[in-house]
Amino acid sequence: MTAAQSVTTVGLTWYYRGDYKRVLEIMADADTFPPTYDMWVRTAEAAEEHARKSGRIVVRAMIDPQTFVSWCKSRGMEANAQARIAYTNEEAHRAVTARR
């Protein structure tokens, strides 16, 4: 496969509407989040569309608040952007390798 033929897969952190209030409670950087799920999802959907238009395959990595807190604790990480990126990358990798 040549570089021109390669496809990049990206993970995109995603939340369920019903979990958003709890997400805001657990994240150390919650002050950087939009105050409502509707505002957040508009931004996330725009990022997803941009990635797809750029030729990327997007994998939504659902973050369950309870699971994410446990995941962070097991790695000695604070629940913040850095942890979300690491978690999302793991979930995207898992999803892609499961498809093979």
Side-chain angles (χ1 to χ4, degrees):
M1 179 177 281
T2 68
Q5 295 171 317
S6 67
V7 176
T8 302
T9 302
V10 295
L12 184 63
T13 303
W14 211 265
Y15 311 103
Y16 290 113
R17 178 182 294 279
D19 290 337
Y20 196 69
K21 180 180 177 190
R22 180 69 180 132
V23 166
L24 294 178
E25 292 170 354
I26 66 166
M27 297 298 176
D29 56 353
D31 60 318
T32 66
F33 280 65
T36 68
Y37 179 83
D38 290 329
M39 292 172 72
W40 171 82
V41 81
R42 280 193 298 274
T43 302
E45 286 173 341
E48 183 178 43
E49 182 64 20
H50 177 73
R52 285 196 173 125
K53 284 183 177 179
S54 298
R56 294 178 176 91
I57 296 172
V58 178
V59 176
R60 288 183 180 183
M62 303 304 294
I63 290 188
D64 168 74
Q66 184 174 343
T67 302
F68 184 65
V69 167
S70 296
W71 182 91
C72 288
K73 285 181 182 178
S74 73
R75 287 158 177 79
M77 298 179 81
E78 185 176 36
N80 60 19
Q82 182 180 359
R84 287 190 302 276
I85 291 167
Y87 183 87
T88 297
N89 287 339
E90 276 189 26
E91 290 300 305
H93 178 74
R94 188 179 349 267
V96 169
T97 56
R99 292 179 190 169
R100 293 181 183 169

